Structures are given as C-alpha cells and as structure tokens.
Amino acid sequence: MSPSNETTERRFRGRILGAGSTSGVRFVVGMWDASPFGAFTDVFVELPDGSSVLLAPDEIVAAYVSGTYRFDAVSVVDISARRTARGLELDAGPLVASVDVGAISPLGRVLRIVPKRIARDPRWLTVIDPVAKLVAPGAGTAGTAGNGRREYYGVTGAHDVVGVRGTWAGEPLGELAPLDPPVRFGFASLPRIPQVVDVETTIRERA
C-alpha cells in the first residue's frame, strides 16, 4: 500500500516572546490561548554554550514540541505566565523572569497593513518567506519542521520588549540583550530586537 498523501493541520494561536540577556541566556516563550492541546505555555531556552532546553508543562506537550523542534534536553515543569501592567511574570522551573513590554514596534506597524485573514494564510506565508528573511535576518514565515512536518508563522502584531530581570538555575540573567546569535530550535528564529508577537502557527503533517 502506498503512503497516504493526506495531511492534517494543527493550529496554535497566541503570543511568542523572544529575548536575550547579558548572561548569554536567550529564551522564547510560547503563550498559547488556543491549540490542539488546549491553552498552555512552553519555553525554549538556549544557553551560552549553545545547548538548548525545552521547558514543557506536561508530557504530551513535551512529546509533540520536541518532535517538531530540536533540543538537547527536555524538562517537564510547572509553568506560570502571568500578564501584568508592565508585561509578563514567568515562573518555569529553572527560569524565573520579569519581562517589561513596551509600545508597538516598527515591525508591528508594518504588520498592521496586512489583513489578519491573509497574514495567517499558509499560501501567503510561503510567498513572503524570502522577504521576511531579508527584513528580519534569522526569521522566517514558512519552513520544514521535525518528523516531516511543515510549519507556517502568521504574525499579526508586535511590541518591543524593553526590560528583563530574573534568574536561570539560580544565576542572574543580567540585563536585556538582543536575541543574537539567532536561536536554533527550528527553521527560523525571532527578530534580533527582543519582541513579543501575536501569532498563529500552522503545522501540517501527514495524516
């Protein structure tokens, strides 16, 4: 019997926050309001030595996310991400951080031009991927993921991250720094300038 050509789609809608620190710890927080696994938060961390860690809220999320992206280690921990007037309070096992979020970013103003329905469409995201990589080196809107999956990032809004305080494994993160070099969990990073973006991620895979 020949392999099935049918595909299924999984959609994750929420926000992604990316920031670097002067300690060399860089992290990406996914805060998903709607997903095939319900609402959840996960955290991707890249350490100064280049090693990567996934912090996931349960084994199901850990299995799916680690099958889509690349990590050197996976930890299931209690994760709390609480929005505040200043931004975000994050408690995720070894990572504890307070993140300050500022005004809409220049990228966010550009994104307002495209209607959200179009901005989330994988066909549009495939077409604009080369442009996205020029505008934000290291970033991308369409690419391959683990286990033969295809992934699309439909970003519809963006705000600057303007401050960070906290610890990794009990050691201070230091001050906010660019997300540089780009993180390497999947086919694309976030922009070099720390930001939080509104996004719908679509993952296609064989049925």
Side-chain angles (χ1 to χ4, degrees), residues 122-154:
R123 293 169 297 182
W124 165 259
L125 297 170
T126 300
V127 169
I128 67 165
D129 181 63
V131 177
K133 289 174 179 174
L134 288 174
V135 173
T141 57
T144 56
N147 287 319
R149 296 164 183 163
R150 185 81 179 166
E151 188 171 18
Y152 306 87
Y153 290 123

Side-chain angles (χ1 to χ4, degrees), residues 2 29 34 38 53 92 98 129 140 149 151 165-166 175 180 201-202:
S2 60
V29 184
V53 182
S98 298
D129 181 63
R149 296 164 183 163
E151 188 171 18
R165 301 164 302 283
E175 303 295 324
D180 185 38
T201 299
T202 300

Side-chain angles (χ1 to χ4, degrees), residues 13-148:
R13 184 173 293 180
R15 289 164 301 283
I16 298 177
L17 184 152
S21 68
T22 52
S23 68
V25 175
R26 289 162 290 144
F27 58 92
V28 176
V29 184
M31 296 162 281
W32 305 108
D33 299 323
S35 85
F37 310 109
F40 70 92
T41 297
D42 58 358
V43 185
F44 302 178
V45 181
E46 192 161 306
L47 302 176
D49 64 2
S51 62
S52 58
V53 182
L54 167 64
L55 305 176
D58 58 47
E59 295 287 355
I60 294 174
V61 169
Y64 187 79
V65 175
S66 63
T68 305
Y69 304 94
R70 299 185 299 270
F71 300 96
D72 297 310
V74 178
S75 293
V76 174
V77 298
D78 292 331
I79 300 178
S80 170
R82 183 172 61 89
R83 297 178 72 174
T84 68
R86 295 183 64 172
L88 177 72
E89 294 289 334
L90 177 69
D91 189 339
L95 179 63
V96 178
S98 298
V99 183
D100 299 334
V101 177
I104 187 170
S105 67
L107 173 62
R109 287 192 286 272
V110 172
L111 291 169
R112 285 180 168 180
I113 298 171
V114 183
K116 290 183 178 181
R117 178 180 56 82
I118 296 174
R120 295 168 176 158
D121 190 320
R123 293 169 297 182
W124 165 259
L125 297 170
T126 300
V127 169
I128 67 165
D129 181 63
V131 177
K133 289 174 179 174
L134 288 174
V135 173
T141 57
T144 56
N147 287 319

